[in-house]
Amino acid sequence: MTVPATAHATAPPTRADVVVVGGGPSGLTAAAALAEALGPAATVLVLDREREAGGIPRHSDHTGYGIRDLHRVLRGPAYARVLVDRAREAGVIVETRAMVTGWAGDRALEVTAPTGRRVVEAGAVVLATGARERARPARHIPGDRPDGVLTTGQLQNLVHLHHRPVGERAVVIGGELVSWSAVLTLREAGCRTVAMVTEHERSESYAAFRLLGRLALRVPVLARSRVVAIEGRGRVTGVVVEDGAGARRTVPCDVVVTTGDWIPDHELARSGGLELDRGTRGPLVDAGLRTTAPGVFAVGNLLHPVDTADVAAIDGRQVVPAVVEWLGQDAGPGSLSGVRLRVESPLRWVAPQVVDPAGPAPARGRLLLWTDTWVERPRVEAVQDGRVVGTRRLPWPAAPGRVFRVPSAILDAARPDGGDVTLRLA
Amino acid sequence: MTTPSPAGTPRRVDVDVAVIGGGVVGSAIARRLAGADLRVAIVEARSDVGDGTSKANTAILHTGFDASPGTVESRLVAEGYHLLGDFAEETGIPVERTGALLVAWSEEELVALPGLREKARRNGYDACAIVSAAEVYDAVPSLGPGALGGLTVPDESIICTWSTTIALATDAVARGAEVLLEHRVTAAEPTPDGTLLRTTGGDVHARWVVNAAGLHADTIDGLFGHDRFTVTPRRGELFVFDKLARPLAPLIVLPVPSSRGKGVLVSPTVYGNVMLGPTAEDLDDKTATGTSAAGFAFLREKGERIMPTLFDEEVTTTYAGLRAAVPGGDYLLERDDERRYVLVGGIRSTGLTACIAIAEHVAGLLAAGGVDVGLRDDLPAPPRIPNIGEAGLRPYADAERIATDPAYGHVVCFCERVTAGEVRDAFDSTLPPRDMDGLRRRTRLMNGRCQGFFCGADAQAALETRGASLLAGADR
């Protein structure tokens, strides 16, 4: 067999100044920004397990990407291409079909790729492994196990990357932004969404999308309801929906899409011994995106499952100063520092979880929070050692199913040497 | 697998012994008999071997310590434990010798432990020891509060039930047996020299018929003119937790058995997960393999008591299996000389462990019925089955293997780390998969925590192209 002249001139690297695990928006942005900051002498390597880098946007062929980070509006695959191109132009090595399967040391990674099994030693590791939707079993939805039950991720893969038909009548479980994204994908595949089922008072996504949903997509939203069983053998024939009053009915369908309900892909973080936050289930991080493991950083939806791709990408720039500092001084702080943030129900999580009130602010000066109930005009309080140290009334609602943002200046009056700060709705 | 004859009618298969049922027991029997100078066929209703009761159980290689002493089951489980253990070593079926710990949660259960140890002795198993509460928590620190003591079963092990059936059926084929899939038996007509089985896949004529039809053994028994027993499908629902939970369950945690059955256990799996279950619910419907809200609630309640931290972990999958329960509580192994027919009924969850011993027993029954079942001296070597267990070296981690074939370095199922090479091998194997479930059981593709979020579309394409879609460019 003749080897084309353009085939790998060099073997895949076994050492890099920075290894970024995951080639989605946050990982690619971090890699590009780090390559620029560290200069051409440094090796920045992105390891991505898919055939092509770009992450979830590559699977999501609809518009709305790139607003906050690129200041333009792109479709998902185009956005993914821009980020890959930018990283390569910055000198980043983007290696695809390369899966990190474990750790061989504090900052050494075991990698499986068609080019071989190897260990890559890194000066710093940036985890950008993202998040996935909980599938039906993780949501404890009983019944038989027929074909036709998909997550949004699988649906988008089938339709956008494989151009496959999916069915004729779909029920979408969830009312998040991604749920509407699933409806759009279904429509593109010629499948009608006959019901959207959400446990909340209303569909959680933005008002405009809800309006679009009602007027253009004409999807009936069954609020305060849940799917309690899936029917059908071989193929889905329907779902049993229970409403708030406990009444049940069967909605016939041949496709069920479970949407939202995110869990970070935290396998590497856990197996590396990083402390995780119980709320996000991603690594515990400070405003510099340091984790509890020296020289290991984390960015993107691994930390806040799940925010939009552009917000994930912005983490990729946020991480740069801390990584550069770590690489520059062997005995640097490396590990996270600041006061610990906690939340009270109905808030589920906050990211980052450690912030130094006197230190650098988190990305875009925002704390990211998740709520389990709808609050029209939320007033958020920060409480430290029994004292309210900050209050913000927000002009936007706190809605389940999407991140809501609170200016990190709410912490300005917190004492850097004080106790934990609890964020709550007043 | 029927080949149409030139006239367009399906060919008639003629064999010495037809084994109805391609589960773990039927496959073991076919393998044993094909080792003699006999033409053997597995006659299976479904599109794969091991697709019924054999695919969905607790996958434990039992010592038989808690069987009813003196039963056929007790003897065959004890024998089968060693026979299957040896076969697993020869073929590469994943086995982990974890041991088990039976935990007493009440005074009543605590006082039952010496009796269980004595029962184990009467079953020929002498290694059980009674341990204190402190020793229980040393062995399994994540157990919930309230354990009072325990009984160790050091040799209880976990095994891969899928690989077992596939290895047995593959060996049967290597020895000359035929596997007739999608051949549901609809009638059994006596002939001067045997039985003509009418099936949905064509006719099969056999001198002898072995009924290893599991849940449907009573129906097949009826076709041979008997009305001896009814198989009640006993549903068992299980939760499978994420691999990240595996450190919680270093060994099999058993409850003290009660009159209502063996109860709910927490067990590691050879794939690196943790399993909680099963429930036990007698049903009428032999196809009711769905899970239920009531089953989930029951398991949740039990699980939160046994191991509260388990439910902090993600549930990777849930499933339900049906055991073939019969009255009397023992295996039904009987020969009918007039119809040249052998019944292998009432094989419950222990059938996985006992399968090779059951096959030997059936060979003995046939020998007594005048069939020469002596093993040939030119038997092929046992097949090597691809390792899908976590304890052994898997292809994604095998540097030498990837160096010789890059397809083993191309991970296509991220959660389970299944490679394009393994998927290709599955389609190139003696018994290739015909559907996604068959592919799952051979490779673990799609069995992981994402349940298809990332690999589902690729997996479907792989199934339709017999793996070619994954290999395209795998070496780039």
Side-chain angles (χ1 to χ4, degrees):
Chain A
M1 196 165 84
T2 48
V3 179
T6 51
H8 289 296
T10 52
T14 54
R15 268 208 63 80
D17 295 279
V18 183
V19 174
V20 178
V21 185
S26 67
L28 290 167
T29 305
L34 283 164
E36 278 162 15
L38 295 169
T43 306
V44 178
L45 172 65
V46 172
L47 297 170
D48 191 85
R49 58 194 189 178
E50 296 208 61
R51 282 159 192 252
E52 284 177 48
I56 296 296
R58 202 170 65 83
H59 309 185
S60 312
D61 197 6
H62 58 76
T63 192
Y65 285 90
I67 299 166
R68 294 187 187 86
D69 60 334
L70 305 180
H71 307 292
R72 48 203 271 219
V73 185
L74 295 169
R75 297 181 77 82
Y79 175 69
R81 275 194 300 278
V82 169
L83 294 185
V84 173
D85 290 347
R86 284 191 167 199
R88 290 214 163 104
E89 281 158 20
V92 173
I93 304 170
V94 180
E95 186 182 347
T96 56
R97 296 179 207 245
M99 180 161 174
V100 177
T101 62
W103 300 82
D106 289 345
R107 284 170 300 282
L109 298 161
E110 292 169 340
V111 180
T112 292
T115 49
R117 170 87 167 161
R118 71 188 201 270
V119 169
V120 180
E121 309 256 1
V125 174
V126 178
L127 298 178
T129 50
R132 64 176 193 276
E133 294 167 299
R134 286 191 173 85
R136 176 232 176 142
R139 298 170 180 231
H140 299 202
I141 302 172
D144 221 308
R145 298 205 297 179
D147 289 341
V149 184
L150 311 168
T151 54
T152 315
Q154 188 174 358
L155 170 74
Q156 292 184 334
N157 254 321
L158 278 169
V159 174
H160 297 317
L161 295 185
H162 290 257
H163 310 290
R164 303 298 303 250
V166 289
E168 288 173 2
R169 291 170 58 90
V171 169
V172 170
I173 302 177
E176 300 186 14
L177 273 180
V178 70
S179 318
W180 289 105
S181 171
V183 171
L184 288 172
T185 302
L186 287 163
R187 191 171 71 154
E188 191 181 317
C191 180
R192 194 158 63 90
T193 302
V194 295
M196 178 179 267
V197 184
T198 168
E199 294 187 35
H200 295 292
E201 295 278 328
R202 56 180 108 181
S203 166
E204 298 95 306
S205 38
Y206 298 107
F209 220 151
R210 291 208 308 279
L211 195 66
L212 174 70
R214 278 205 295 273
L215 299 182
L217 300 173
R218 287 183 303 165
V219 174
V221 176
L222 309 178
R224 278 165 303 183
S225 299
R226 60 195 187 105
V227 168
V228 292
I230 290 177
E231 296 182 338
R233 287 178 187 158
R235 182 79 198 184
V236 174
T237 57
V239 297
V240 180
V241 178
E242 185 181 270
D243 68 18
R248 293 184 173 197
R249 68 188 173 99
T250 296
V251 179
C253 61
D254 58 359
V255 175
V256 179
V257 186
T258 56
T259 68
D261 195 359
W262 299 91
I263 173 91
D265 261 316
H266 58 204
E267 183 180 25
L268 267 185
R270 273 186 77 171
S271 61
L274 277 61
E275 187 177 338
L276 300 192
D277 177 60
R278 280 190 69 85
T280 60
R281 300 198 169 235
L284 189 76
V285 289
D286 66 9
L289 305 181
R290 298 174 189 86
T291 71
T292 52
V296 179
F297 304 80
V299 295
N301 280 331
L302 170 65
L303 302 176
H304 32 75
V306 66
D307 209 336
T308 52
D310 51 2
V311 171
I314 286 167
D315 277 356
R317 294 205 282 266
Q318 177 76 7
V319 80
V320 172
V323 174
V324 170
E325 184 187 54
W326 163 260
L327 291 173
Q329 49 180 77
D330 283 350
S335 198
L336 75 188
S337 59
V339 296
R340 180 77 160 89
L341 306 185
R342 302 189 183 277
V343 290
E344 244 174 49
S345 178
L347 301 177
R348 189 190 296 181
W349 54 251
V350 59
Q353 296 85 23
V354 176
V355 177
D356 179 355
R364 301 171 69 231
R366 300 280 196 282
L367 298 172
L368 308 182
L369 291 101
W370 195 268
T371 177
D372 285 326
T373 55
W374 178 283
V375 184
E376 189 65 44
R377 298 288 306 276
R379 199 168 75 97
V380 182
E381 285 182 348
V383 183
Q384 186 182 38
D385 300 325
R387 195 171 61 87
V388 175
V389 294
T391 305
R392 288 292 182 281
R393 180 175 288 287
L394 302 174
W396 48 79
R402 64 181 156 101
V403 168
F404 90 101
R405 306 163 204 287
V406 175
S408 59
I410 194 171
L411 303 172
D412 283 353
R415 290 175 31 175
D417 56 348
D420 294 356
V421 173
T422 299
L423 298 167
R424 66 187 187 199
L425 294 174
Chain B
M1 288 186 98
T2 30
T3 318
S5 69
T9 51
R11 76 192 165 112
R12 186 178 107 156
V13 177
D14 265 294
V15 290
D16 295 313
V17 187
V19 180
I20 301 176
V24 72
V25 172
S27 297
I29 294 169
R31 167 182 172 270
R32 171 61 185 82
L33 299 177
D37 272 321
L38 294 168
R39 290 168 300 157
V40 177
I42 293 173
V43 183
E44 168 56 51
R46 294 177 177 252
S47 56
D48 197 3
V49 295
D51 194 46
T53 295
S54 302
K55 79 177 172 199
N57 53 50
T58 50
I60 292 175
L61 182 60
H62 291 289
T63 54
F65 79 100
D66 61 345
S68 298
T71 56
V72 178
E73 182 183 19
S74 128
R75 179 169 62 80
L76 295 182
V77 171
E79 286 174 19
Y81 176 84
H82 297 288
L83 291 170
L84 181 55
D86 293 346
F87 182 67
E89 205 149 290
E90 289 168 356
T91 53
I93 296 166
V95 172
E96 283 185 54
R97 306 274 174 187
T98 59
L101 181 64
L102 200 138
V103 178
W105 296 94
S106 68
E107 284 296 334
E108 188 189 348
E109 289 177 354
L110 190 65
V111 299
L113 297 181
L116 285 164
R117 186 179 54 185
E118 181 50 33
K119 188 178 180 184
R121 283 188 182 138
R122 286 197 284 145
N123 282 317
Y125 185 70
D126 220 12
C128 291
I130 293 175
V131 293
S132 68
E135 289 168 293
V136 166
Y137 286 104
D138 277 351
V140 191
S142 51
L143 279 187
L148 301 177
L151 182 76
T152 64
V153 193
D155 301 292
E156 207 80 345
S157 304
I158 55 175
I159 189 168
C160 175
T161 175
W162 305 328
S163 300
T164 301
T165 309
I166 288 165
L168 289 165
T170 301
D171 203 14
V173 172
R175 292 173 170 196
E178 217 174 330
V179 179
L180 305 173
L181 299 173
E182 289 161 19
H183 280 56
R184 184 181 299 281
V185 174
T186 53
E189 297 166 6
T191 64
D193 57 346
T195 303
L196 184 66
L197 296 173
R198 303 281 190 191
T199 88
T200 52
D203 293 346
V204 180
H205 186 267
R207 283 204 301 129
W208 280 83
V209 174
V210 177
N211 171 6
L215 282 173
H216 304 282
D218 53 351
T219 309
I220 300 294
D221 206 43
L223 298 181
F224 283 82
H226 295 286
D227 183 14
R228 295 186 267 195
F229 66 104
T230 303
V231 177
T232 304
R234 180 169 296 162
R235 181 163 64 181
E237 298 181 41
L238 295 110
F239 276 118
V240 178
F241 290 87
D242 194 282
K243 293 178 205 313
L244 292 163
R246 174 72 194 255
L248 297 175
L251 47 67
I252 307 160
V253 178
L254 302 171
V256 174
S258 74
S259 54
R260 294 192 56 237
K262 288 187 176 181
V264 172
L265 55 86
V266 174
S267 172
T269 76
V270 292
Y271 322 111
N273 302 83
V274 175
M275 198 170 58
L276 172 74
T279 58
E281 182 189 4
D282 286 346
L283 304 173
D284 302 321
D285 182 356
K286 288 177 180 174
T287 64
T289 52
T291 51
S292 68
F296 283 1
F298 176 81
L299 289 178
R300 191 164 184 122
E301 187 215 315
K302 288 277 184 192
E304 280 177 348
R305 209 182 124 202
I306 302 170
M307 197 173 278
T309 49
L310 200 48
F311 279 92
D312 289 345
E313 303 291 341
E314 296 292 308
V315 173
T316 295
T317 193
T318 63
Y319 66 93
L322 301 174
R323 292 93 114 183
V326 296
D330 200 358
Y331 294 170
L332 303 172
L333 303 168
E334 284 173 37
R335 188 182 67 241
D336 170 353
D337 284 323
E338 194 191 327
R339 288 293 307 260
R340 297 192 187 183
Y341 163 74
V342 176
L343 167 66
V344 183
I347 312 296
R348 307 178 294 168
S349 66
T350 53
L352 168 60
T353 302
C355 62
I356 298 179
I358 294 170
E360 286 300 333
H361 186 87
V362 168
L365 289 176
L366 287 171
V371 181
D372 180 0
V373 297
L375 289 175
R376 304 190 310 253
D377 51 16
D378 62 342
L379 290 180
R384 284 300 292 182
I385 293 297
N387 171 45
I388 60 170
E390 261 329 272
L393 183 62
R394 302 218 13 249
Y396 82 85
D398 188 340
E400 285 177 30
R401 203 161 172 189
I402 297 168
T404 56
D405 185 348
Y408 294 116
H410 180 201
V411 179
V412 294
C413 167
F414 306 138
C415 306
E416 297 296 304
R417 299 169 179 179
V418 181
T419 63
E422 291 165 275
V423 174
R424 172 204 59 205
D425 294 349
F427 286 108
D428 286 347
S429 69
T430 303
L431 293 166
R434 292 183 170 199
D435 55 21
M436 190 60 82
D437 270 356
L439 187 54
R440 284 171 185 264
R441 289 197 291 273
R442 285 161 180 81
T443 63
R444 290 171 41 175
L445 186 71
M446 290 278 285
N447 280 358
R449 56 174 70 94
C450 92
Q451 291 282 302
F453 182 95
F454 293 108
C455 71
D458 263 353
Q460 189 174 325
L463 183 67
E464 287 160 16
T465 61
R466 298 176 61 86
S469 60
L470 300 180
L471 289 169
D475 56 350
R476 251 185 277 143

